[in-house]
Amino acid sequence: MSKEADMSFTEEKEKYLNMSIEDKRSQYNCKSKYVPLKKIPTWKEQSAKHAFAESAAYPKIEAFNEKVSIFVGDITHLEIDAIVNAANKTLLGGGGVDGAIHRAAGKSLLAECITLNGCETGEAKITGGYKLPAKYVIHTVGPIGEQTELLQNCYRNSLTVAQENGVRTIAFPCISTGVYRYPNKNAAHVALTEVRTFLEKNASSFDRVIFCLFLEEDVYIYENLIKEYFPV
């Protein structure tokens, strides 16, 4: 990448990060379809319509139930600190949520990603969000097939990068399911375990961790499993 192109994305990144919320909203690619955090109920609020789990894998901590949410919809519409991108090793965009995030953020996201020299499976790297409602994008590369430790690393490293960069609200898509063939239910167990475990040590670092779902299958899975990890 040329020095001029690098300077271009750097200036764009700083511009968006320092904009007032009113000015930035006028730049969103999703226009008025953005979803602010206050429109996303916490699990404590959402759980009122669900039956309690007969048994739970973890003890009830009411404060944690106010720090997690299930959101069904488009992750590129979330007006929060950071969204997680289920990227490939090149970080240059692709299909599914990866392509959707790149399209919604605009070309400056690709320009910044080029400078990151890719990303290994299980690792995570952060960029600006540009024309996304989210301030940042945290890119992580999920494993192909069911490789538990690598998927654990995706969530753990994404949360660590978020914490290191002052990100207090973060949303995860379903990493490695779909074309990467990680079984949906098993992947959900990993996601819920890692978030619960991270919060137990770092609860004060986060205001909200959102599980962003799109497929009916994943909605069913998460609505049933979350009660084990975040009992009410």
Side-chain angles (χ1 to χ4, degrees):
M1 175 177 288
S2 69
K3 184 176 180 180
E4 292 77 11
D6 181 62
M7 182 62 71
S8 176
F9 93 72
T10 301
E11 291 175 350
E12 281 287 289
K13 182 177 179 178
E14 290 304 310
K15 179 182 77 173
Y16 281 105
L17 288 176
N18 291 296
M19 271 184 186
S20 69
I21 189 64
E22 292 79 13
D23 288 340
K24 193 180 181 194
R25 282 174 174 170
S26 70
Q27 303 294 315
Y28 294 165
N29 260 329
C30 68
K31 307 299 181 184
S32 62
K33 295 180 181 178
Y34 65 89
V35 182
L37 184 66
K38 66 182 180 181
K39 292 287 184 70
I40 304 172
T42 64
W43 169 236
K44 180 180 178 180
E45 296 167 321
Q46 293 171 321
S47 65
K49 65 179 181 180
H50 295 283
F52 293 162
E54 292 183 4
S55 61
Y58 293 86
K60 174 183 175 180
I61 299 180
E62 192 161 340
F64 287 3
N65 295 338
E66 297 176 347
K67 288 182 178 286
V68 295
S69 296
I70 291 174
F71 174 77
V72 182
D74 192 331
I75 199 169
T76 68
H77 293 177
L78 296 181
E79 189 179 70
I80 58 175
D81 289 344
I83 60 174
V84 175
N85 179 24
N88 58 48
K89 286 186 176 183
T90 70
L91 298 186
L92 303 183
V97 69
D98 189 10
I101 288 173
H102 273 266
R103 288 190 296 273
K107 62 183 180 181
S108 292
L109 177 58
L110 176 59
E112 183 174 4
C113 283
I114 289 171
T115 69
L116 299 181
N117 300 312
C119 183
E120 292 302 312
T121 303
E123 296 303 307
K125 296 185 177 183
I126 192 169
T127 65
Y130 303 97
K131 293 186 176 183
L132 286 160
K135 294 178 184 178
Y136 299 99
V137 179
I138 296 174
H139 308 262
T140 190
V141 181
I144 297 174
E146 188 169 1
Q147 300 183 69
T148 303
E149 185 175 352
L150 290 175
L151 187 59
Q152 289 172 332
N153 288 342
C154 287
Y155 286 93
R156 200 173 301 156
N157 288 326
S158 294
L159 289 166
T160 299
V161 167
Q163 184 181 45
E164 291 171 348
N165 286 273
V167 167
R168 298 198 60 84
T169 52
I170 184 172
F172 285 96
C174 296
I175 300 168
S176 277
T177 57
V179 296
Y180 276 23
R181 303 188 307 279
Y182 205 114
N184 296 54
K185 186 174 181 178
N186 295 354
H189 273 296
V190 172
L192 289 160
T193 299
E194 291 305 315
V195 169
R196 170 73 194 218
T197 301
F198 205 90
L199 286 177
E200 287 181 345
K201 298 177 181 178
N202 307 278
S204 63
S205 295
F206 294 95
D207 296 326
R208 194 79 62 85
V209 179
I210 300 165
F211 301 101
C212 186
L213 313 175
F214 187 73
L215 300 177
E216 287 187 15
E217 176 184 3
D218 290 315
V219 175
Y220 176 81
I221 289 170
Y222 271 84
E223 286 184 344
N224 282 278
L225 291 186
I226 194 171
K227 295 175 285 190
E228 299 178 20
Y229 294 89
F230 297 93
V232 295

